[in-house]
Amino acid sequence: PAVKPGRCLYPAQSGPWLTFPLCPAAGAQQSATVANPVPGAIPDLLPHFLVEPEDVYIVKNKPVLLVCKAVPATQIFFKCNGEWVRQVDHVIERSTDGSSGLPTMEVRINVSRQQVEKVFGLEEYWCQCVAWSSSGTTKSQKAYIRIAYLRKNFEQEPLAKEVSLEQGIVLPCRPPEGIPPAEVEWLRNEDLVDPSLDPNVYITREHSLVVRQARLADTANYTCVAKNIVARRRSASAAVIVYVDGSWSPWSKWSACGLDCTHWRSRECSDPAPRNGGEECQGTDLDTRNCTSDLCVHTASGPEDVALYVGLIAVAVCLVLLLLVLILVYCRKKEGLDSDVADSSILTSGFQPVSIKPSKADNPHLLTIQPDLSTTTTTYQGSLCPRQDGPSPKFQLTNGHLLSPLGGGRHTLHHSSPTSEAEEFVSRLSTQNYFRSLPRGTSNMTYGTFNFLGGRLMIPNTGISLLIPPDAIPRGKIYEIYLTLHKPEDVRLPLAGCQTLLSPIVSCGPPGVLLTRPVILAMDHCGEPSPDSWSLRLKKQSCEGSWEDVLHLGEEAPSHLYYCQLEASACYVFTEQLGRFALVGEALSVAAAKRLKLLLFAPVACTSLEYNIRVYCLHDTHDALKEVVQLEKQLGGQLIQEPRVLHFKDSYHNLRLSIHDVPSSLWKSKLLVSYQEIPFYHIWNGTQQYLHCTFTLERVSPSTSDLACKLWVWQVEGDGQSFSINFNITKDTRFAELLALESEGGVPALVGPSAFKIPFLIRQKIISSLDPPCSRGADWRTLAQKLHLDSHLSFFASKPSPTAMILNLWEARHFPNGNLSQLAAAVAGLGQPDAGLFTVSEAEC
């Protein structure tokens, strides 16, 4: 029969029970599990569940079965995620309870993987059943249906170890991400490790295998195995070797004295003897010496003895003649060196202290160095910037030196008399002035040659630079200094616990050179700085290759070798020791967040029906951006949306990406699931480059060129971003210019005064005026407050010139676009009586 809108069909039911609707929505409530009695009904006849639906996992593509059974019950329906399941999807079985005679009803439904995948975001898929009787309704518990999986890659695998006897062993293992979470077991040489059978072994809650005291029998290959209902994964095996420090046996007695007037004794490496690839004991196993006993006397009485002594005499004569020849050759070479170098002071003088005055040319920032005719020094003609292909620089001798400015920060030391052996002289001089040979030709490395005038190195478009202040290099020394950006996969940086890499890994060197002032290393970071959310540490790699915490930000000591000025997106490290550095953060709460830059790329030209949109999720730093832009140029990609920033929190939740509202008449998405996912650890670790997901769309027709859709990127229970894509794939290039890489300050190496915004003489006047304490407060402390650097007063005060440290930091932060007028205003506002602090008189020149 026809049913009017808003009404339900009530078929008659035989028996003493009331007629009840087949339209569950009419009588069902959306509240918690409560009974809704019918007025006048007997309260003890409410439905009671004998079987309720339980949580279940979908394995691969197999649907799962949910069952409900209640008594007394006239109707049972399932509701999933707030929506009633269709009646035709229910399998119903009616019966009568044998003991009470009450009607019993059992209902079953199947839930498929496709149904669960339609629900995404923060909500999980759940089902519950509602049972009716003549007295009212009762709701069952909710059953959650989840798609089971187990990733292939372990988040942390055990590593090979060599340990001494009775030393503790810890083999960490972080299983792949999975639902349900994977169970972990350990194999020793393919045999299961059972802690209940071996009290010397236990497995921690974090799945690490711990051996309390290593035994020789513990030498084996260990494998971490993770398994759940979907799959079983094996980590790479870790070889553990337990060794014993062996030693020598006691020396044997001395042997009898031989014909050659010597006797010997021996010992063995047998305490214990090396085995299983163990090393031999250090030292010798045989000891000989001359006999001192009077019994060891014999004379040359036979022809064999005469021949022996004649041979020894002949060998001695040959050795004497060879020694004479070597002495003669050495003297000849020494004479050649003396003819080239007229004054031995050449090898030690280098650049002498000089008087400096501004050039009278149009460029007031370039300085000329007056000749010092009292000394004889070596001079260098050629660029002090990174070397280009071309003829080798020439070194000559002269009676003086003159440093004159050239364009682009290049300087030439002029000479007056040529010499024919310049290259040989370069090799001799380089050993005296600490030149270092370096690999050339990489886009992530720059280098230059510097002296006491200082300079600057920068890797373009990365935010990485090294400021070498004046007098940081001792006078008389010349260093070739380099600056390198490393790819995370090329440098093994161990991270423990919740630590994450926040900055690029940068090297400046060579290590071990003598510096008399701190240099300043500048690099980006992607952390949201908050003292309550982060514990930040500066790590430095030692000569042995291990990484050490050299600075805990916020706990710096003024006399420390390292210091750091942390800003919103960059950090500036003061250091007197060059080396390899990285900024690492450890989350103190779930509020700790990293900035991720989201970039959308697609092909510039699309010649097939398929069209790929690549979504990159990378650190919000210039170096990471540069790498992706260069990669996409090689792939022929273009930016199709303005970049966005997402705050990724330490909540252990993954990053999800999905595409929506694709016009089905023009395009078809080839994505088989509702969303793609990047595991939390892959992002939080910070050492994986080019993290991205690809969405493949297929055009219905080759003539289709307009694309309109939405793309969502969000962290589960966290921040998210939405992109509205609407453009023509064949001719729309309006976002291409957003990521055009610009040159930062010209050449990557600047030497001498051209590397600094503040002219040298003005810098010296500021230092001499503000370093002395002033009772009116017009000194370096007030300047630090005006520049918002007053939190570092104790560090500045620990240095010989606090003002120089402040100006050096200003140079590092504001080059090349710093406003010198603002600095001048800050200095002028200190109330110094010298109103012409930023002017240079003719007499001073």
Side-chain angles (χ1 to χ4, degrees):
V3 180
K4 294 182 180 180
R7 303 198 50 192
C8 296
L9 179 63
Y10 291 78
Q13 172 127 5
S14 60
W17 312 106
L18 296 176
T19 1
F20 203 79
L22 291 177
C23 179
Q29 299 294 325
Q30 305 295 327
S31 59
T33 305
V34 295
N36 300 306
V38 175
I42 302 174
D44 59 355
L45 294 181
L46 288 173
H48 168 68
F49 282 100
L50 303 176
V51 178
E52 295 187 75
E54 297 181 349
D55 294 348
V56 67
Y57 296 97
I58 295 178
V59 178
K60 297 183 180 179
N61 291 318
K62 297 179 181 178
V64 295
L65 181 67
L66 298 181
V67 180
C68 270
K69 186 175 183 180
V71 60
T74 56
Q75 297 289 347
I76 298 178
F77 281 93
F78 272 93
K79 178 188 289 186
C80 295
N81 278 69
E83 297 182 1
W84 293 103
V85 179
R86 297 183 307 169
Q87 183 176 2
V88 296
D89 295 332
H90 292 72
V91 177
I92 302 173
E93 182 178 336
R94 302 177 185 271
S95 62
T96 302
D97 185 72
S99 60
S100 63
L102 297 175
T104 302
M105 191 173 187
E106 181 177 320
V107 177
R108 297 182 297 273
I109 65 168
N110 285 319
V111 179
S112 67
R113 182 186 183 105
Q114 288 74 18
Q115 290 174 266
V116 177
E117 286 178 340
K118 288 180 181 179
V119 179
F120 63 92
L122 304 182
E123 191 175 9
E124 290 189 289
Y125 195 89
W126 56 268
C127 293
Q128 69 177 161
C129 49
V130 182
W132 282 265
S133 73
S134 59
S135 299
T137 62
T138 305
K139 295 180 180 179
S140 73
Q141 66 182 8
K142 288 183 178 180
Y144 288 90
I145 300 94
R146 301 176 176 91
I147 297 175
Y149 67 91
L150 185 62
R151 306 287 188 196
K152 291 185 178 180
N153 297 324
F154 279 74
E155 295 187 353
Q156 185 178 12
E157 295 186 291
L159 300 177
K161 290 179 178 289
E162 291 186 5
V163 298
S164 61
L165 189 66
E166 297 184 354
Q167 180 183 344
I169 304 174
V170 178
L171 295 176
C173 176
R174 296 177 65 178
E177 180 187 7
I179 293 179
E183 298 177 356
V184 172
E185 60 186 21
W186 284 86
L187 302 180
R188 179 197 287 131
N189 289 340
E190 301 304 320
D191 293 330
L192 182 65
V193 177
D194 189 351
S196 63
L197 302 178
D198 187 355
N200 193 43
V201 176
Y202 68 94
I203 299 175
T204 68
R205 294 177 59 185
E206 293 77 22
H207 311 300
S208 298
L209 178 65
V210 178
V211 180
R212 292 182 172 89
Q213 289 185 321
R215 304 156 298 191
L216 292 178
D218 293 321
T219 298
N221 291 320
Y222 289 84
T223 308
C224 181
V225 178
K227 61 181 180 180
N228 66 3
I229 59 176
V230 178
R232 186 173 186 265
R233 312 288 188 202
R234 291 168 58 99
S235 72
S237 295
V240 174
I241 298 176
V242 181
Y243 62 85
V244 179
D245 291 327
S247 60
W248 292 100
S249 65
W251 285 102
S252 66
K253 294 182 179 180
W254 287 101
S255 67
C257 192
L259 294 177
D260 56 352
C261 293
T262 61
H263 59 176
W264 56 271
R265 61 177 181 174
S266 64
R267 59 179 178 175
E268 296 180 350
C269 184
S270 58
D271 190 18
R275 58 180 179 178
N276 299 326
E279 297 182 358
E280 294 288 340
C281 300
Q282 298 292 326
T284 61
D285 58 355
L286 186 65
D287 184 21
T288 62
R289 68 180 182 183
N290 290 331
C291 300
T292 57
S293 172
D294 294 337
L295 298 177
C296 183
V297 178
H298 84 281
T299 59
S301 57
E304 297 85 359
D305 295 332
V306 173
L308 174 63
Y309 286 112
V310 170
L312 292 174
I313 293 173
V315 171
V317 171
C318 292
L319 291 175
V320 171
L321 291 176
L322 180 60
L323 180 61
L324 292 175
V325 172
L326 292 176
I327 293 174
L328 181 60
V329 172
Y330 174 78
C331 293
R332 291 285 181 88
K333 286 189 174 290
K334 188 172 184 303
E335 290 175 0
L337 178 63
D338 292 341
S339 64
D340 287 342
V341 184
D343 191 338
S344 63
S345 65
I346 291 172
L347 298 179
T348 57
S349 60
F351 287 95
Q352 301 295 329
V354 294
S355 59
I356 302 176
K357 74 172 191 175
S359 168
K360 302 234 178 143
D362 295 334
N363 191 346
H365 299 295
L366 297 177
L367 306 181
T368 53
I369 297 186
Q370 299 301 316
D372 181 2
L373 303 180
S374 62
T375 60
T376 301
T377 64
T378 105
T379 58
Y380 168 58
Q381 176 175 314
S383 170
L384 293 180
C385 299
R387 302 169 186 165
Q388 309 294 332
D389 295 337
S392 301
K394 299 179 180 180
F395 279 79
Q396 307 289 356
L397 299 180
T398 180
N399 292 327
H401 54 278
L402 177 64
L403 181 63
S404 61
L406 293 178
R410 298 175 180 271
H411 295 74
T412 301
L413 296 180
H414 295 281
H415 58 88
S416 58
S417 59
T419 181
S420 60
E421 298 185 4
E423 294 183 1
E424 183 181 355
F425 185 77
V426 171
S427 63
R428 298 172 191 165
L429 181 65
S430 65
T431 60
Q432 300 293 329
N433 290 293
Y434 303 97
F435 279 88
R436 306 295 174 93
S437 60
L438 300 169
R440 315 297 195 206
T442 170
S443 62
N444 287 335
M445 178 182 179
T446 184
Y447 52 91
T449 309
F450 302 91
N451 65 353
F452 72 94
L453 293 176
R456 185 188 305 266
L457 289 173
M458 68 185 78
I459 303 177
N461 305 302
T462 64
I464 299 170
S465 65
L466 181 69
L467 180 75
I468 307 166
D471 289 321
I473 297 176
R475 300 197 176 215
K477 303 288 186 183
I478 303 176
Y479 296 158
E480 186 173 30
I481 296 179
Y482 64 85
L483 182 64
T484 304
L485 167 64
H486 299 279
K487 293 183 178 180
E489 61 265 27
D490 296 337
V491 179
R492 183 172 181 81
L493 174 61
L495 298 174
C498 299
Q499 288 185 338
T500 176
L501 180 63
L502 297 178
S503 76
I505 302 175
V506 180
S507 290
C508 54
V513 297
L514 175 64
L515 297 174
T516 56
R517 301 282 191 278
V519 298
I520 301 179
L521 175 64
M523 53 187 178
D524 288 351
H525 70 83
C526 63
E528 282 292 301
S530 170
D532 299 329
S533 303
W534 285 105
S535 172
L536 301 176
R537 299 176 186 272
L538 180 69
K539 285 184 175 285
K540 181 175 183 286
Q541 192 172 27
S542 66
C543 298
E544 293 77 18
S546 61
W547 286 86
E548 303 170 347
D549 294 340
V550 296
L551 181 64
H552 187 183
L553 273 67
E555 299 180 6
E556 303 94 336
S559 58
H560 205 276
L561 289 175
Y562 307 93
Y563 203 83
C564 183
Q565 158 76 3
L566 185 70
E567 299 188 353
S569 59
C571 59
Y572 300 89
V573 179
F574 290 81
T575 175
E576 297 182 26
Q577 294 183 356
L578 304 183
R580 183 172 294 171
F581 297 93
L583 184 66
V584 170
E586 183 172 1
L588 300 179
S589 69
V590 293
K594 297 172 64 172
R595 297 188 315 277
L596 298 184
K597 180 83 77 175
L598 305 178
L599 302 171
L600 273 60
F601 282 91
V604 174
C606 184
T607 57
S608 65
L609 293 179
E610 287 191 352
Y611 189 75
N612 294 323
I613 299 177
R614 292 180 291 275
V615 185
Y616 289 89
C617 308
L618 52 119
H619 283 179
D620 185 19
T621 58
H622 286 86
D623 62 285
L625 179 64
K626 174 184 176 182
E627 293 290 332
V628 169
V629 171
Q630 291 178 342
L631 175 64
E632 280 295 328
K633 283 186 176 180
Q634 298 173 3
L635 298 176
Q638 66 169 337
L639 189 71
I640 63 172
Q641 278 289 302
E642 187 172 349
R644 304 278 181 86
V645 173
L646 182 144
H647 292 86
F648 190 79
K649 292 187 177 181
D650 181 23
S651 62
Y652 292 97
H653 288 295
N654 298 339
L655 190 72
R656 290 181 178 176
L657 304 93
S658 60
I659 192 167
H660 306 274
D661 300 339
V662 179
S664 58
S665 60
L666 301 175
W667 296 86
K668 182 176 70 172
S669 174
K670 302 190 74 172
L671 186 65
L672 300 180
V673 294
S674 299
Y675 57 84
Q676 299 189 64
E677 200 166 50
I678 301 178
F680 167 83
Y681 184 75
H682 289 180
I683 298 175
W684 195 255
N685 180 268
T687 59
Q688 299 195 31
Q689 284 190 312
Y690 313 134
L691 283 176
H692 72 282
C693 288
T694 300
F695 292 91
T696 301
L697 304 177
E698 185 176 0
R699 293 185 285 181
V700 175
S701 168
S703 61
T704 301
S705 58
D706 291 326
L707 175 61
C709 61
K710 291 183 179 180
L711 199 147
W712 296 349
V713 183
W714 77 100
Q715 185 183 16
V716 178
E717 300 186 11
D719 191 18
Q721 290 287 357
S722 174
F723 295 87
S724 295
I725 301 173
N726 190 352
F727 76 113
N728 187 294
I729 67 173
T730 59
K731 58 186 178 181
D732 199 337
T733 59
R734 63 181 183 271
F735 298 104
E737 299 301 323
L738 291 178
L739 295 183
L741 297 180
E742 300 177 356
S743 177
E744 297 178 342
V747 295
L750 296 172
V751 179
S754 61
F756 304 97
K757 292 286 292 183
I758 308 172
F760 186 83
L761 287 181
I762 293 178
R763 170 189 168 94
Q764 296 304 105
K765 292 185 67 175
I766 296 175
I767 292 173
S768 60
S769 300
L770 300 185
D771 267 352
C774 180
S775 58
R776 302 187 309 276
D779 58 10
W780 63 269
R781 294 174 179 82
T782 308
L783 176 62
Q785 294 173 356
K786 286 181 172 291
L787 298 179
H788 307 291
L789 301 175
D790 45 315
S791 60
H792 308 308
L793 292 181
S794 58
F795 170 71
F796 296 145
S798 67
K799 302 302 177 184
S801 174
T803 309
M805 294 295 103
I806 297 173
L807 298 182
N808 293 343
L809 182 55
W810 187 92
E811 290 277 7
R813 297 170 68 195
H814 296 91
F815 189 89
N817 302 317
N819 190 333
L820 200 59
S821 300
Q822 292 181 354
L823 178 63
V827 175
L830 300 181
Q832 282 281 346
D834 184 6
L837 196 60
F838 271 78
T839 61
V840 180
S841 65
E842 183 66 25
E844 289 176 310
C845 295

